[in-house]
Amino acid sequence: MALRISLKPALPLIPLLPGLSLLGVLGVLLRDGHGGGISVLQQFAAGAVQPSIDPIVLGSLLKGLQITLVIAVMSWGISSVLGVGLGLLSSSTFWEIQAGVRWPAVILRRWLAPLRAVHELIWGLLLLQVFGLNGWVAICAIAIPFTVLMARVIADQVDCHVSPAIPVLKGAGATPWAVMLTGLVPPLAEPISDHIGHRLDCAVRSALILGVFGLGGLGTDLSLSLRSLQFQELWSGLWMLAIAMVVLDRLLRTLRSWSRMLILPVAMASPWVALGWGTQLDLQLAWPVAEWSMVVGNLIDGSQGFNAALEISWPGVIRATVWITLIAGCVATGLPPLLLLVWPSQASLHLQGVVWGALRLIPAPLTALLLLMLAKPSLSLAGLALGLHHGGVMGRVLIDDIRSTGLGSAQTMKACGAPNRVSWLYGPLADVSRAYLTYATYRLDVILRDTAIIGMVGGAGLGWQLMEALSSFHWWLVLWIVLISAVLTLLGESLGERLQGSWNSRAMAL
Amino acid sequence: MSARERRAVLATGLIAGLALTASVSSCGAPQNDAKQAVLQIGAIPDQNPEKLNRLYGTLTTELSEKLDVPVRYAPVSNYAAAVSAFRTGSLDLVWFGGLTGVQARLQTPGARVLAQRDIDAEFTSVFIANGASGLRPFTSADQLVELKGRRLAFGSESSTSGRLMPQFFMGENGVKPEDMAGGGPGFSGSHDATVAVVQSGAYEVGALNEQVWRSNVADGRVDPGKVSVIWRTPPYVDYHWVVRPGLDDRFGDGFTDKLQSALLDLSADTENGATILELFGAERFIPAKDEDYVMIETVGRQLGKIR
Amino acid sequence: MTALLELHQACLGQRLQPITLTLRADQRVVLLGASGAGKTTLLKLCNGALSPDAGSVHWCGRPHQQLSRRQRRQIGTLWQDLRLVEELSVIQNINSGALGRHGLLWAIRNLLGPLDPNTCLELMHQVKLEADLLEQPVRELSGGQRQRVALGRLLHQRPELVLADEPLSALDPSLAEDVLNTLLLLPGCLISLHRPDLIHRFDRVLGLRGGALVIDAAPNTIHRDQLEWLYASA
């Protein structure tokens, strides 16, 4: 019998394959390495042990932290509630149960996609142009993309958890709403609650990034300290942030241990609590007045429009952006499973939890600066900086997944004599590989959008061009760049969906 | 009902109660900025936060005592965000750099320059180079062509002294941004970071504000064996205070003039004045006019930073 | 040397009362008992998945925690829930039985593409799996097919003692007969069953009731009443 033998990596191996890119990145680091920045790294490390305890610094950081938390909690609550609603509306299953057709879901999804394709930072800077410095600008900047992203995840979840009971219930003559309550809600409640919980962590980081770009809060202090290389002050802020994030995480875990559904009422109530808290702070929460004249006035004068598009050599810029995204995506996806495979044990899970936490904590621009202290600037370095930050998120996802599926499968493999590493590869890593890869494709979108915040390493990519255009108030160019980024994001997304599709059918052929 | 369920219900109740209380209290709380006119001041971010907080903490106290109006300092961490905040009326009086000040005035008809520091009238940038680059101090501007093919770091993209003027002088001598290694210059984000990336060797050359360079040298943060000045730019005007129009309507006739004199009157003789001037790195503030910045506007337009 | 599994006064909480037992690797043993009598618990003690609260379990004179990889792979288990690696294909799952004899690189090569297909085809033939299923993902197989993949994996491990937890429960009669025949060809086994009618095909019968070992005898010495009592409600 003829055997067709081809190279066809199995699913559990796919999360590890991007890790191969680390070899390339390592090569670049060795090639471009210079030891000149060791003293700065030492100062940075020393700052961690000896953060500033100046009362003025601490007072300002504490105020900043509260503002960041208020913005994060508010936008998280709003986006969770709206996201669940929109997610339901943009799922095919919902429309099929309600009306027996699918097209409204498809149309709504296509309409929402562009909103999601714009980074919260860019939303922030655009809204700032129209509404000025105002708490709502930051809140909306996070809430808009988060709502739509949440809607996408929820619609996907709804459509992949279609209960076989639904046609039966429909056949039994139940009303559409009753069908949804019995057939849809129970299997969905838990994954959705988990996802909502996870988004709070993301919202805090987004609120921080907005602060880095001028919308107030702890991010502002962190970015000012970073720019003046005041590592002691920087660490005071980072430690404060770390404590806040650990406390939030514990709170969420406690809530979950009481009941996994509890997150829903918490999300609904949180904007009101945050609003009450916000009034006690130095945060402008009066409803802002729009000031369209400047932006619109500039755009009405259409003569510049086409010329603006010619100012950038798009192929080069797009190539740089895609390259950075790819490297960052590979590093972020490949690093956590690789590390787990290098040192597979319970203790390593705990230690990695800390490492990933630290990588998430350190903003990407800071990672970039620290890497620059070791190597010359290059696209790979920019990708690595971004990849390490997002690796923190992926690492957390991997560890949480493994914890929730348990280590039983590793013991099974070990019992039949498999070595420790192999037991983990065929056990827990194989168990979570599908979910992990699905999450990685979502991350790829986020990474693509995040290239906006890494201009420091060589001033390359669309993100950097956008910052340059915004700082020149060159609205036509801003419009073009946002458009192109949105198109790229959507392309990346459909590529991700295809990858997901091929993983779901069978192992991907190379 | 199990203990766990009971706890869940209890928690839900508590959350609902807390939310209700919070929203009621927020409706009741006075919106402090709604009616009373507050003078909002801000600054582009070019200092460390500890210094900014001390500096503007003292300045708000000083101005509010002298002018008898409430003054509030809003920190902004992005140059372009400061310009937008000024245009939309979120900030009334802002300490801008040369370029950002011109951008702000062009976008806000009626805004005017109030004052500058004594050192701002003749401000300079320096080009610094890593020892390993092999670059020696330039004796004349046309040697800037030696920078072609080098890795060069600017500071922030909107910085006058860390980007605009250095780029202008490079252009005057035939060096375009595309001539740099890697297809363009890098942007470290700040003057201090420029020193760090050049000193480490990540970049071979950097351009920054001479005042910041001097203070880095004075603080011992520069290793003279690794990095040194290779060229100083000719002088140009830089930082200045810009004020929004219409303050007289909000705070009373002649308010803008009073504000200007309050700034110009700051002197090292008073305790507050001494702190403020020391943190600004100046002896005193001097009057400045819109016309002083025509050159910056021309350069800004030439380099595409002003549209 | 004939490998030995020795349990000495091994017990586990409420589930299993102290049991002393010696299994030789050339004996075919059947384990009977009603649901909940502790059959699965006993098997898990035997393969080291559970550790006893008190007493000891030794394989070749050493406790499970101290076994070398070589010794661990001498005990093979056919789990009731099969424990296949769901994300992998038939050949990859069958090959995973041999992981105990190979290192990490071999494990990775197995994930990269079909490895050693001829051996696998032979094993598949032995367990009566169609050859065209070779690269099929196991998650797409039927219950009976999955059972046979697990059996193929077990054979590939080449254990000296097989522990099987109700291996026939989900199979049709002819398939059950095949699986049983395959298991009985192995050097030694301990198989838990709900089929008192099959005890004559074994060398030794163990009976569990309420977590206690109440029967340990040769099949021809066991009376029908004893078996009925084993399954009667307490």
Side-chain angles (χ1 to χ4, degrees), chain A residues 1 3-13 412-419 422 425-426 430 433-434 505, chain C residues 69 72-73 79 83 85 87-88 92 96 99-100 102 104 107-108 110-114 117 134-135 139-140 157:
Chain A
M1 186 200 123
L3 270 179
R4 192 179 52 86
I5 299 207
S6 55
L7 201 61
K8 214 197 281 178
L11 203 62
L13 210 53
T412 309
M413 300 308 297
K414 236 188 251 180
C416 60
V422 175
L425 177 60
Y426 278 66
S433 55
R434 188 175 299 267
S505 59
Chain C
R69 269 179 63 201
R72 257 186 282 149
R73 70 163 191 259
W79 301 87
R83 304 208 178 170
V85 186
E87 304 296 349
L88 298 183
Q92 284 162 332
S96 73
L99 287 175
H102 299 278
L104 179 62
I108 289 175
N110 183 38
L111 293 183
L112 271 174
L134 189 74
E135 291 187 54
R139 57 163 54 205
E140 292 172 10
Q157 187 181 335

Side-chain angles (χ1 to χ4, degrees), chain B residues 2-27:
Chain B
S2 74
R4 171 180 283 226
E5 280 167 350
R6 230 174 305 148
R7 230 172 342 169
V9 170
L10 186 70
T12 316
L14 271 177
I15 294 160
L18 191 62
L20 200 67
T21 328
S23 46
V24 167
S25 76
S26 69
C27 293

Side-chain angles (χ1 to χ4, degrees), chain B residues 39 62-69 93 112 114-115 243 247-248 251-266:
Chain B
L39 182 71
E62 176 75 11
L63 286 182
S64 125
E65 274 171 15
K66 273 201 190 154
L67 302 168
D68 201 24
V69 293
L93 172 70
R112 66 185 184 93
L114 272 195
V243 69
L247 290 196
D248 293 4
F251 297 98
D253 278 345
F255 182 83
T256 311
D257 292 334
K258 272 198 279 178
L259 186 57
Q260 185 175 28
S261 2
L263 288 171
L264 296 177
D265 290 348
L266 285 172

Side-chain angles (χ1 to χ4, degrees), chain B residues 234-296:
Chain B
Y236 52 86
V237 282
D238 201 348
Y239 296 87
H240 53 300
W241 286 106
V242 182
V243 69
R244 272 186 70 81
L247 290 196
D248 293 4
D249 299 339
R250 275 164 62 205
F251 297 98
D253 278 345
F255 182 83
T256 311
D257 292 334
K258 272 198 279 178
L259 186 57
Q260 185 175 28
S261 2
L263 288 171
L264 296 177
D265 290 348
L266 285 172
S267 86
D269 300 339
T270 65
E271 195 190 330
N272 278 348
T275 315
I276 294 166
L277 288 173
E278 191 211 324
L279 289 168
F280 264 108
E283 304 271 310
R284 64 198 172 92
F285 283 100
I286 58 172
K289 306 180 299 294
D290 296 1
E291 298 81 64
D292 297 342
Y293 291 86
V294 171
M295 193 249 190
I296 297 281

Side-chain angles (χ1 to χ4, degrees), chain A residues 34 36 129 132-133 211-212 214 224-225 227-228 233 258 266 282 372 377 456 458 464 468 471-474, chain B residues 4 7 15 45 48-50 53 72 77 84 87-88 90 103 107 158 163 187 190 192 200 202-203 221 305 307:
Chain A
H34 61 74
Q129 301 303 330
L133 277 187
V212 170
L224 291 174
S225 304
R227 286 186 201 182
S228 47
E233 293 168 17
W258 289 351
V266 169
D282 189 17
L372 271 183
M456 184 187 296
W464 162 251
E468 172 76 350
S471 75
S472 311
F473 301 93
H474 189 359
Chain B
R4 171 180 283 226
R7 230 172 342 169
I15 294 160
N48 72 60
E50 184 259 305
N53 279 312
R72 177 177 171 274
S77 64
S84 300
R87 173 174 52 74
T88 51
S90 305
Q103 285 177 331
Q107 292 181 21
S158 296
R163 189 253 169 109
F187 290 84
S190 72
D192 290 306
S200 73
Y203 285 91
R221 295 170 69 172
K305 296 301 292 178
R307 294 281 158 175

Side-chain angles (χ1 to χ4, degrees), chain C residues 9-18 41 45 50-54:
Chain C
Q9 291 291 318
C11 63
L12 196 75
Q14 297 292 313
R15 291 185 274 173
L16 215 57
Q17 289 165 31
T41 310
L45 273 184
L50 292 175
S51 298
D53 288 341

Side-chain angles (χ1 to χ4, degrees), chain A residues 309-331:
Chain A
L310 298 177
E311 283 177 30
I312 295 185
S313 85
W314 294 102
V317 171
I318 291 175
R319 211 178 314 128
T321 312
V322 171
W323 187 234
I324 296 178
T325 309
L326 274 183
I327 293 177
C330 285
V331 170

